[in-house]
Amino acid sequence: MSFTLHGIPVSRGIAIGRAYLIAPAALDVDHYLIEPAQIESEIERFRTAQQHVHYELETLRADLAADAPSEMGAFINVHSMILNDAMLVQETFDLIRTRRYNVEWALTEQLERLSRHFDDIEDEYLRERKADIEQVVERVLKALAGASVALADGVHGACDEMIVVAHDIAPADMMQFKTQTFQGFVTDLGGRTSHTAIVARSLGIPAAVGVQHASALIRQDDLIIVDGDHGIVIVDPAPIVLEEYSYRQSEKALEQRKLQRLKFSPTQTLCGTRIELCANIELPDDARAAIDAGATGVGLFRTEFLFMNHKDRLPEEEEQFGAYRRAVELMNGLPVTIRTIDVGADKPLDSMSGGDGYETAANPALGLRAIRWSLSEPQMFLTQLRAILRASAFGSVKILIPMLAHAQEIDQTLDLIREAKRQLDDAGMAYDPNVQVGAMIEIPAAAIALPLFLKRLDFLSIGTNDLIQYTLAIDRADNSVAHLYDPLHPAVLHLIAFTLREAKRAGVPVSVCGEMAGDPAMTRLLLGMGLTEFSMHPSQLLVVKQEVLRSHLKTLEKPVADVLASFEPEEVQAALKRVMLA
């Protein structure tokens, strides 16, 4: 019987093949108390399993193909760090010693504690890092049980086109699919910024995540279609549906080949206006993917990832400097915009702040996060600023400050940047004294009070994800109101248009680095508003570039003006259709 499931589209394309189900690890482990004399032997069991998992990860690393995306090696590094992290290992040992839990019970108990911390995180990307800890724990539990995490031996080539269906997939495990006839994947869990979604995009594999109960409803060897453009999974499709999707699949393959021809052509509109297409990155080695996609720079380097890998301490200046320098050098002179840390005391970094004890905010989105947290921890902030400034000696670097809203916040930040420069001067360390400093426009107050920013800063970057959330009072993490998250709400569009217009009038460069920048359906609308710099995931660069090359700014003026003059949903949609046809 044919049926359709709906989830979140995270990697474009169409996959048709047979389902291969991966059973989740059994986290429902045995719970029992051990005798005092068994404590050390129980800890030794953990260490043995830990060594086994370390060997598995090193084997995966050794098997990386020369053309494997840089994300793969980076994610293996992350899992290796988690495997040895004190918040996982030492706390598990403490539960064994103080409560006399068996090792499986202690490990799953500590996982539950860490998961609660991550559930409170407002930032979608960081919140989904919880999956990495779960995947590492799953590996250790399987090692304790004597099971292998590898794919079944009989899978290789058993199906001409295999589509993996799972509750969740660890990015490291996806390495094994490189040697399989692997066409796509479907998971019950995940979101647009989960690691598996990132890897899927980097590999160009059609994927749908957050497809609830998919692993329970889909059976082994079911014929399925994964529509990665819309997050749709069709199980046992009718012949006419299968024929339609087969045709669309061949059309997309042809489109992808055509897109590759655009990589080295100038990015300009039909009327000759040059448009900058930059990349968003999370890891230093992501810069390679940015270069390969033809990016003209890094428009957003999210530095939170460097901090999230240290559950028991903040990264030292040298470590941060090394990461920033690597990204800058990989970009070969192209500009790299580094955003300062965008987490707060409500996040797992609490434990690294010396244990002074910020209470978890009732509403983390409105609490001590981003620049507010950085200004409350000036020594931490100065350390990061010094590291970024030092990296500027090796290439073009800009500093981007998140979540600014008040004049005093801007002034305090600029004072600390001057102090970081003074400290480097005293230490005789090199940096670019003319590093530009910019602000994220992601709070409605910032857009409305734009003159405060235009007077003090060198550039602006519109973060559409948070701007939409704060403008519409929508918690993106709350499924009960997620349907109200609307990038095309008139209030959101007016704030974006106002920011672009006023920045242009003041001669201040402005970019867009949120999800809207990487959505080709939004490209013409943003161009018509006056945007000339987009920043997005590298996988989206060429499809957005194609829209740019087909656009003429003069013909977009009237339909875009009609969109901004519309308030009723039907009027907005009708005006948007005219934009797409202009």
Side-chain angles (χ1 to χ4, degrees):
M1 180 183 70
S2 179
F3 60 93
T4 302
L5 302 173
H6 296 267
I8 301 169
V10 293
S11 186
R12 300 173 69 86
I14 292 170
I16 302 173
R18 297 285 175 180
Y20 176 74
L21 269 66
I22 298 179
L27 294 182
D28 185 17
V29 299
D30 290 336
H31 295 62
Y32 57 88
L33 296 175
I34 60 174
E35 296 297 327
Q38 297 175 300
I39 289 175
E40 292 309 314
S41 62
E42 202 70 7
I43 289 174
E44 187 58 33
R45 284 184 62 216
F46 180 93
R47 290 196 175 110
T48 301
Q50 184 184 31
Q51 290 172 0
H52 180 83
V53 173
H54 175 74
Y55 174 77
E56 285 181 347
L57 293 173
E58 288 305 309
T59 301
L60 285 171
R61 192 196 313 278
D63 290 343
L64 281 172
D67 62 347
S70 59
E71 289 94 340
M72 304 304 275
F75 293 151
I76 292 174
N77 291 340
V78 171
H79 281 209
S80 294
M81 285 187 286
I82 293 172
L83 180 64
N84 296 290
D85 195 285
M87 285 292 286
L88 183 67
V89 179
Q90 294 303 323
E91 294 296 325
T92 298
F93 288 174
D94 287 346
L95 287 171
I96 294 172
R97 289 189 174 108
T98 59
R99 299 194 183 181
R100 291 165 43 196
Y101 288 173
N102 65 301
V103 63
E104 292 88 351
W105 186 1
L107 185 56
T108 52
E109 173 68 18
Q110 181 58 14
L111 171 63
E112 185 64 30
R113 292 179 178 183
L114 293 172
S115 296
R116 286 195 293 269
H117 281 294
F118 276 82
D119 288 339
D120 290 334
I121 296 179
E122 176 60 30
D123 185 276
E124 181 182 11
Y125 176 81
L126 296 177
R127 186 172 61 249
E128 289 176 353
R129 300 291 68 77
K130 178 178 76 170
D132 294 304
I133 300 176
E134 292 173 341
Q135 289 156 2
V136 171
V137 169
E138 179 175 323
R139 283 185 175 275
V140 176
L141 288 172
K142 286 186 173 181
L144 286 165
S148 171
V149 187
L151 283 173
D153 293 336
V155 176
H156 56 277
C159 303
D160 291 337
E161 295 176 328
M162 182 178 71
I163 296 176
V164 171
V165 179
H167 185 63
D168 195 15
I169 306 174
D173 288 335
M174 290 185 70
M175 274 313 304
Q176 299 172 69
F177 304 144
K178 285 285 285 181
T179 58
Q180 311 291 335
T181 50
F182 176 53
Q183 299 298 314
F185 81 83
V186 179
T187 62
D188 300 344
L189 304 181
R192 289 184 175 87
T193 54
S194 62
H195 272 164
T196 42
I198 293 170
V199 172
R201 286 192 291 265
S202 71
L203 293 174
I205 298 170
V209 302
V211 185
Q212 296 186 13
H213 309 300
S215 63
L217 295 171
I218 298 173
R219 296 171 300 181
Q220 194 84 333
D221 288 332
D222 272 352
L223 179 63
I224 60 175
I225 297 172
V226 178
D227 183 341
D229 295 344
H230 303 97
I232 295 172
V233 179
I234 304 172
V235 183
D236 192 19
I240 189 171
V241 174
L242 185 60
E243 183 179 351
E244 176 190 347
Y245 272 95
S246 296
Y247 174 75
R248 287 176 56 187
Q249 190 180 46
S250 60
E251 286 288 295
K252 282 187 171 293
L254 180 60
E255 288 174 14
Q256 284 300 314
R257 287 195 292 272
K258 289 180 179 178
L259 282 176
Q260 292 303 313
R261 302 173 188 171
L262 304 178
K263 186 181 294 186
F264 301 108
S265 61
T267 306
Q268 59 184 34
T269 61
L270 291 172
C271 51
T273 302
R274 180 172 174 79
I275 305 298
E276 300 294 336
L277 298 184
C278 299
N280 295 344
I281 67 173
E282 289 87 21
L283 303 161
D285 285 348
D286 288 349
R288 287 199 184 97
I291 290 291
D292 290 344
T296 56
V298 170
L300 175 63
F301 180 176
R302 297 183 176 98
T303 60
E304 298 82 48
F305 193 87
L306 302 175
F307 287 74
M308 295 302 293
N309 288 339
H310 299 78
K311 302 297 188 297
D312 57 340
R313 64 177 179 86
L314 291 166
E316 301 289 343
E317 180 177 331
E318 289 302 319
E319 183 179 351
Q320 292 189 56
F321 164 61
Y324 305 146
R325 174 180 173 176
R326 178 167 178 76
V328 170
E329 290 180 332
L330 285 172
M331 290 305 294
N332 296 319
L334 295 174
V336 177
T337 300
I338 302 176
R339 186 177 69 184
T340 59
I341 184 170
D342 189 7
V343 291
D346 60 293
K347 298 175 173 64
L349 296 178
D350 296 6
S351 60
M352 303 186 300
S353 301
D356 293 338
Y358 293 107
E359 291 185 8
T360 299
N363 190 334
L366 304 180
L368 194 64
R369 60 166 291 201
I371 190 59
R372 300 172 182 176
W373 186 71
S374 294
L375 292 176
S376 75
E377 297 278 357
Q379 293 309 312
M380 178 283 299
F381 195 32
L382 282 168
T383 298
Q384 181 174 36
L385 291 173
R386 288 194 302 269
I388 296 173
L389 287 168
R390 290 172 61 190
S392 70
F394 297 88
S396 177
V397 169
K398 300 178 184 179
I399 300 175
L400 182 60
I401 311 298
M403 208 177 168
L404 287 166
H406 302 274
Q408 63 265 34
E409 289 177 331
I410 304 175
D411 295 338
Q412 288 172 28
T413 299
L414 295 176
D415 285 344
L416 283 169
I417 292 173
R418 283 189 285 269
E419 173 61 18
K421 290 180 177 180
R422 186 193 65 76
Q423 292 176 359
L424 292 177
D425 288 337
D426 290 346
M429 291 184 172
Y431 66 92
D432 178 3
N434 299 313
V435 167
Q436 292 190 338
V437 181
M440 295 281 292
I441 302 300
E442 52 191 344
I443 302 174
I448 294 169
L450 205 61
L452 292 175
F453 294 77
L454 298 175
K455 177 182 177 182
R456 291 169 166 82
L457 296 160
D458 300 309
F459 68 96
L460 304 175
S461 184
I462 302 174
T464 55
N465 299 351
D466 271 343
L467 184 63
I468 296 165
Q469 173 170 255
Y470 290 126
T471 302
L472 303 181
I474 298 298
D475 182 355
R476 288 178 290 149
D478 186 344
N479 289 332
S480 63
V481 294
H483 63 286
L484 298 174
Y485 184 86
D486 182 11
L488 297 174
H489 191 286
V492 173
L493 297 181
H494 277 268
L495 288 173
I496 295 172
F498 174 78
T499 301
L500 293 171
R501 183 174 65 249
E502 293 304 306
K504 182 179 181 180
R505 184 177 298 169
V508 175
V510 60
S511 66
V512 170
C513 63
E515 287 293 317
M516 288 179 71
D519 185 347
M522 302 284 185
T523 303
R524 294 187 182 212
L525 177 62
L526 292 171
L527 286 170
M529 290 181 180
L531 182 66
T532 57
E533 182 176 333
F534 298 67
S535 191
M536 67 205 74
H537 189 279
S539 65
Q540 295 300 104
L541 274 163
L542 292 180
V543 291
V544 170
K545 186 173 187 175
Q546 180 174 250
E547 288 299 315
V548 171
L549 296 176
R550 293 172 174 174
S551 301
H552 193 293
L553 298 187
K554 192 68 177 176
T555 62
L556 289 173
E557 288 181 1
K558 177 62 168 62
V560 169
D562 290 344
V563 171
L564 295 174
S566 303
F567 289 89
E568 294 294 336
E570 296 80 6
E571 294 175 354
V572 173
Q573 289 300 322
L576 280 171
K577 287 181 181 178
R578 293 194 291 274
V579 170
M580 296 303 293
L581 295 173

